[in-house]
Amino acid sequence: MSQANAASAGLSRSMLFAYGLPGLPLAALGVPLYVYLPAFYAEELGLGLASVGGALLIARIWDLLTDPLMGRVSDALPTPWGRRRPWMLLGIPFLLISAWFLFLPEEAPGFLYLMAWTMALYFGSTMILLPYSAWGAELSQSYNERSRITAWREGFVVVGTVAAAALPSFTGDDRGLTLEWLLIGIIVLLPLCVVAACAMVNEPSRQPPKPLSWRRSAAILFGNGPFLRLISAYFLNGIAIGLPSTLFLLYVKFGLEAESWTGPLLLTYFVCGIAALPLWLWLAKRIGKHRAWCTAMLGACAVFVWVPLLGPGDTWAFLVICILSGIALGADLALPPAIQADVIDLDRLRSGSERAGVYFGLWGVATKLALALAVGLSFPLLDLAGFDPAAEQPGAVWSLALLYGLAPVVFKLAAIALVWQFPITQQRQRRVRALIERRENRRSTVPETGNVSFTVHRNDPSSHHGRL
């Protein structure tokens, strides 16, 4: 099947499987960076909490800066093999060499060693992940097919996350051995998965962006009202997801006093997220992607409000919460990136070129800032309330329950308010695609003005965005 036909008829399962494969090793790489590596360097290698925290903070700031840069570069540099796949392949050796030195460090690594190799690893990861995400948005022009593409990718991401999180149970919680096993797995799987995806899935032919000044480019981007609404909602929902993710271990240990349940609860949550993906794809076809996402967020809110009422011994009740909130996770993973692909169509209509890399660069910044803010909010607030996990009686466990259960509800409700009346419906997306195709068919005879107008009906909820 040609790429054009695939775009209209739907990608085959084998192509979707191949495209999703790189998500597995990339997700498995993220777990050690957030969970295992800081404690390994601080405690077992003796670098200290302050040095580790400072090195990782500098590396994270660097990571935020490279996302938009990589997005811009992958948009602007076409090759005979496409704009996305070459960068993914180039990123493989960069990432693996960095991971080798970071996961198998010298005997006494210093501050600069940790900082430099973490920065290199983040950059190698960005070289793969940013073009990979933009590529997914370009694989289909279909409103619903885009949801299938992101669902397959995010399903592999969840599998990789679970596999990496479960590894310590096989290594006896030996951090050094866990990192070695993860490194071996990534060295084997990353090249295989990325090469398989690049070989089996064609990259649609795209023209590089038209030369625009930075001022004009920024004006088009920040004049994209649906994009601003979507990324704001995504950022708020990211904080809502980041808070319970950050506090999960503490809540199970001190709020429920059920530390031995940590693994089964996490596994249940993620398995339900994968299992629910077909449900959200079905619902998105019937009520629209943004309404399906809002439905999932409302469901998560209805579940999490009960968390502060639980206490020690209420593990089975919390298991039900993990099941229901895990079901909602499927929509959080698959639908926002699929909506982002529709938003990029609006940019193409105005700018005259495909700039998915730039948009997913900003998407990456929003993702990482949301997680950083979740950590930056939760721990200081717990400390202010008097919660001390190092004490025999930590105190103020109520503050942990409120931050874990109620604070995410506030952020999710704010996200719902932003996207409930989201202007890009399936019908609107089809009209935008038709306008793009009409203009491209006439490009050889009609001068490009860079400013496209079209008429919408008064009852169209997106009518205030008629001129893009």
Side-chain angles (χ1 to χ4, degrees):
M1 179 182 291
S2 70
Q3 192 68 37
N5 291 335
S8 59
L11 277 69
S12 67
R13 288 189 177 182
S14 60
M15 290 181 69
L16 290 169
F17 182 90
Y19 170 73
L21 276 174
L24 194 154
L26 288 171
L29 177 67
V31 173
L33 291 178
Y34 288 110
V35 180
Y36 308 139
L37 203 71
F40 178 65
Y41 271 80
E43 298 174 14
E44 299 186 25
L45 297 180
L47 194 56
L49 289 173
S51 294
V52 169
L56 295 182
L57 176 61
I58 294 172
R60 178 55 73 191
I61 294 172
W62 158 258
D63 189 33
L64 291 174
L65 296 175
T66 58
D67 275 15
L69 176 63
M70 188 68 245
R72 174 73 174 176
V73 169
S74 71
D75 280 342
L77 296 179
T79 74
W81 304 279
R83 295 188 299 167
R84 313 301 180 191
R85 292 179 295 177
W87 288 107
M88 294 174 63
L89 295 171
L90 285 173
I92 293 173
F94 207 101
L95 187 150
L96 293 182
I97 292 171
S98 306
W100 179 277
F101 282 98
L102 196 59
F103 290 13
L104 299 177
E106 57 189 36
E107 290 186 5
F111 175 90
L112 291 178
Y113 182 96
L114 175 60
M115 181 190 72
W117 285 116
T118 304
M119 290 172 68
L121 183 64
Y122 279 152
F123 187 65
S125 175
T126 298
M127 286 178 69
I128 300 174
L129 187 57
L130 255 296
Y132 179 49
S133 300
W135 182 22
E138 296 168 343
L139 282 176
S140 176
Q141 299 174 3
S142 166
Y143 179 86
N144 290 314
E145 185 68 10
R146 286 168 170 174
S147 300
R148 289 184 68 222
I149 293 168
T150 57
W152 276 83
R153 182 182 69 216
E154 298 305 320
F156 276 102
V157 167
V158 174
V159 171
T161 301
V162 172
L167 192 55
S169 61
F170 298 97
T171 61
D173 289 323
D174 184 326
R175 294 191 188 107
L177 183 59
T178 299
L179 289 172
E180 287 184 29
W181 283 25
L182 276 171
L183 178 62
I184 292 171
I186 292 168
I187 288 174
V188 172
L189 289 177
L190 185 68
L192 287 177
C193 291
V194 173
V195 170
C198 291
M200 295 178 64
V201 184
N202 292 329
E203 184 178 336
S205 177
R206 292 288 187 268
Q207 294 297 322
K210 292 163 46 181
L212 297 172
S213 68
W214 280 100
R215 179 177 295 180
R216 176 63 176 159
S217 177
I220 294 173
L221 193 151
F222 291 106
N224 189 332
F227 167 69
L228 297 181
R229 287 176 63 174
L230 175 64
I231 199 168
S232 298
Y234 179 73
F235 175 72
L236 291 169
N237 190 56
I239 298 174
I241 295 173
L243 283 170
S245 299
T246 302
L247 300 174
F248 178 82
L249 297 178
L250 291 176
Y251 178 75
V252 173
K253 181 176 181 179
F254 297 108
L256 299 177
E257 297 182 3
E259 190 173 8
S260 62
W261 280 69
T262 299
L265 290 170
L266 271 177
L267 182 62
T268 299
Y269 175 74
F270 285 117
V271 167
C272 288
I274 297 176
L277 285 170
L279 167 67
W280 297 116
L281 295 182
W282 173 84
L283 189 63
K285 285 184 179 180
R286 280 148 184 80
I287 65 174
K289 288 182 282 196
H290 65 286
R291 287 288 171 85
W293 183 31
C294 287
T295 301
M297 290 192 285
L298 283 170
C301 291
V303 168
F304 262 80
V305 293
W306 300 101
V307 167
L309 301 180
L310 303 182
D314 292 330
T315 313
W316 287 102
F318 187 68
L319 177 63
V320 174
I321 291 176
C322 287
I323 292 171
L324 297 176
S325 60
I327 292 173
L329 173 70
D332 281 329
L333 293 174
L335 298 182
I339 301 171
Q340 167 87 331
D342 301 332
V343 165
I344 293 169
D345 285 339
L346 296 183
D347 180 85
R348 185 175 182 183
L349 185 62
R350 187 174 186 185
S351 69
S353 56
E354 192 84 42
R355 300 196 299 170
V358 170
Y359 277 78
F360 276 97
L362 295 176
W363 195 258
V365 171
T367 303
K368 294 164 185 175
L369 278 179
L371 180 59
L373 189 56
V375 176
L377 282 174
S378 57
F379 289 152
L381 288 174
L382 285 177
D383 184 64
L384 188 64
F387 178 81
D388 182 6
E392 190 170 326
Q393 296 293 330
V397 176
W398 59 269
S399 63
L400 175 61
L402 290 176
L403 275 174
Y404 181 86
L406 286 188
V409 172
V410 176
F411 286 103
K412 279 187 175 290
L413 289 175
I416 292 168
L418 282 171
V419 294
W420 183 257
Q421 295 291 346
F422 195 70
I424 304 181
T425 61
Q426 183 173 6
Q427 294 73 23
R428 174 77 186 278
Q429 189 266 345
R430 285 175 177 171
R431 289 203 300 273
V432 170
R433 290 302 320 176
L435 287 167
I436 292 172
E437 292 169 10
R438 185 190 311 165
R439 184 183 62 185
E440 291 184 350
N441 289 336
R442 298 175 56 193
R443 182 172 288 176
S444 59
T445 57
V446 178
E448 183 62 68
T449 64
N451 204 13
V452 178
S453 300
F454 59 91
T455 303
V456 294
H457 298 291
R458 288 188 178 184
N459 60 357
D460 189 333
S462 61
S463 59
H464 58 288
H465 294 295
R467 186 175 180 86
L468 296 172

